[in-house]
Amino acid sequence: MRKFSSLTDQEILALAISNEEEDGRIYSDFAYALREKYPDTSRIFTDMSVEEDTHRRDLIDLYARRFGPHIPLIRRQDIADFLVRKPAWQVQTQGIEAVRQHARQMEMDAARFYRQAALRTTDAATRKLLGDLAHAEDQHEQAANAIELDRLPTSKRESEDEDARRRFVLQVVQPGLVGLMDGSVSTLAPVFAAAFATHQPWNAFLVGMAASVGAGISMGFAEALSDDGKLSGRGAPLLRGLICGLMTTAGGIGHTLPFLIDNFSTAMIAAVTVVVIELFVISWIRWRYQETPFGSAIVQIVIGGLLVFVAGVLIGSS
């Protein structure tokens, strides 16, 4: 892998052309991936792809005048310490705002790299070329911001952000919350029944683990088989099932782990403390993502958990 400082002016210009081509393809991929769910943002990236193609043609014209028709293939990954772009599909999985931020960062990083490289070189022609490239990247960023303001006014951006938030709640938060509630509440009865029936923490631990894993598998399959997500917009069934199953298991294991403590009284106090924390976490999630009043969420969850807890204690003590 070569160092940037070892490149000639010809190679630096060839690298700039390659960079513009790659960035244009990334913007084009963003535009294609977002065309259905976020049409306004998609059009922004289409315009940005056109901007990159214009800059690429300008660079090619400059290269041809200085060095002729042949352009050597030099890419970011061939140069040590160069900023390698993430693939479009990897950024898209992080949400719409991550895509927008990545696009802005692409231009900022490129401008900063060229500017720092210009400071390190002692060749006047190379320094001028690097400075021109940095200035071009600054112009790209300004053009991107102008395009975004033109294509995506505040009202449309807020609408797209709200759609993204609702999709996240529907596809991730909701199945996770269902699993966490089931795991945290439904396993209380068997765990504490076993604890009070035997006064042996290890027995309660085994029952809790069995109940948690069993409930996780059951809830995971139930969620995955409930619908295919196409009409409801709830997303991929396998992903929903996995999230629901894991959160169900986690909810049950949380108040099961304290029973690894040998002392029964200490284990019981620790388990009850974990239960209280779990119920407050569930209430907070309902308040944060489902717009349920926090007081109402606390009352609903605590009453339900308390009833199941009492049932387990009474059964175990009988």
Side-chain angles (χ1 to χ4, degrees), residues 129-145:
L129 179 59
L130 291 172
D132 291 342
L133 290 173
H135 180 67
E137 294 296 341
D138 285 333
Q139 289 182 328
H140 293 184
E141 183 190 354
Q142 294 170 9
N145 291 336

Side-chain angles (χ1 to χ4, degrees), residues 61-128:
D61 290 341
L62 175 61
Y63 181 95
R65 288 196 300 269
R66 293 190 62 186
F67 305 110
H70 174 70
I71 304 175
L73 178 60
I74 303 178
R75 301 165 297 178
R76 285 186 175 94
Q77 55 265 40
D78 301 326
I79 309 302
D81 299 326
F82 205 92
L83 296 170
V84 179
R85 300 292 184 226
K86 292 182 180 179
W89 62 264
Q90 184 177 356
V91 180
Q92 292 162 20
T93 60
Q94 301 172 13
I96 182 64
E97 186 56 37
V99 172
R100 295 176 184 146
Q101 178 59 36
H102 182 74
R104 290 191 292 267
Q105 195 66 43
M106 284 170 60
E107 305 297 349
M108 294 170 60
D109 289 345
R112 182 169 57 250
F113 181 87
Y114 286 131
R115 192 170 291 109
Q116 292 176 350
L119 295 175
R120 289 197 300 267
T121 183
T122 57
D123 180 75
T126 303
R127 175 169 293 189
K128 181 181 183 301

Side-chain angles (χ1 to χ4, degrees), residues 48-290:
M48 292 175 67
S49 177
V50 172
E51 286 283 334
E52 294 298 308
D53 189 57
T54 299
H55 297 144
R56 178 187 63 85
R57 291 198 302 269
D58 291 342
L59 286 167
I60 290 177
D61 290 341
L62 175 61
Y63 181 95
R65 288 196 300 269
R66 293 190 62 186
F67 305 110
H70 174 70
I71 304 175
L73 178 60
I74 303 178
R75 301 165 297 178
R76 285 186 175 94
Q77 55 265 40
D78 301 326
I79 309 302
D81 299 326
F82 205 92
L83 296 170
V84 179
R85 300 292 184 226
K86 292 182 180 179
W89 62 264
Q90 184 177 356
V91 180
Q92 292 162 20
T93 60
Q94 301 172 13
I96 182 64
E97 186 56 37
V99 172
R100 295 176 184 146
Q101 178 59 36
H102 182 74
R104 290 191 292 267
Q105 195 66 43
M106 284 170 60
E107 305 297 349
M108 294 170 60
D109 289 345
R112 182 169 57 250
F113 181 87
Y114 286 131
R115 192 170 291 109
Q116 292 176 350
L119 295 175
R120 289 197 300 267
T121 183
T122 57
D123 180 75
T126 303
R127 175 169 293 189
K128 181 181 183 301
L129 179 59
L130 291 172
D132 291 342
L133 290 173
H135 180 67
E137 294 296 341
D138 285 333
Q139 289 182 328
H140 293 184
E141 183 190 354
Q142 294 170 9
N145 291 336
I147 292 171
E148 182 168 348
L149 290 174
D150 177 62
R151 285 286 195 181
L152 197 65
T154 303
S155 59
K156 290 185 177 181
R157 180 175 183 131
E158 289 176 350
S159 176
E160 289 192 350
D161 290 344
E162 179 61 21
D163 289 342
R165 190 192 73 84
R166 290 176 180 174
R167 192 172 294 107
F168 173 73
V169 170
L170 193 62
Q171 299 177 359
V172 178
V173 175
Q174 189 177 63
L177 181 60
V178 169
L180 185 61
M181 290 175 62
D182 184 85
S184 298
V185 176
S186 67
T187 58
L188 288 177
V191 171
F192 285 96
F196 278 92
T198 65
H199 282 75
Q200 296 294 324
W202 179 249
N203 292 337
F205 173 77
L206 293 178
V207 171
M209 288 297 295
S212 301
V213 174
I217 295 173
S218 176
M219 289 293 293
F221 273 100
E223 179 63 33
L225 297 176
S226 60
D227 68 80
D228 60 9
K230 294 181 179 178
L231 294 178
S232 64
R234 299 178 65 209
L238 291 180
L239 178 61
R240 293 197 331 266
L242 180 63
I243 293 173
C244 185
L246 290 176
M247 292 305 294
T248 302
T249 302
I253 289 179
H255 52 255
T256 297
L257 291 177
F259 288 102
L260 287 172
I261 301 173
D262 291 334
N263 184 273
F264 177 77
S265 298
T266 304
M268 185 61 64
I269 293 173
V272 171
T273 301
V274 172
V275 169
V276 172
I277 294 173
E278 289 173 346
L279 297 180
F280 271 91
V281 169
I282 292 172
S283 300
W284 181 86
I285 293 175
R286 295 188 64 197
W287 167 77
R288 174 66 176 80
Y289 292 102
Q290 296 189 330

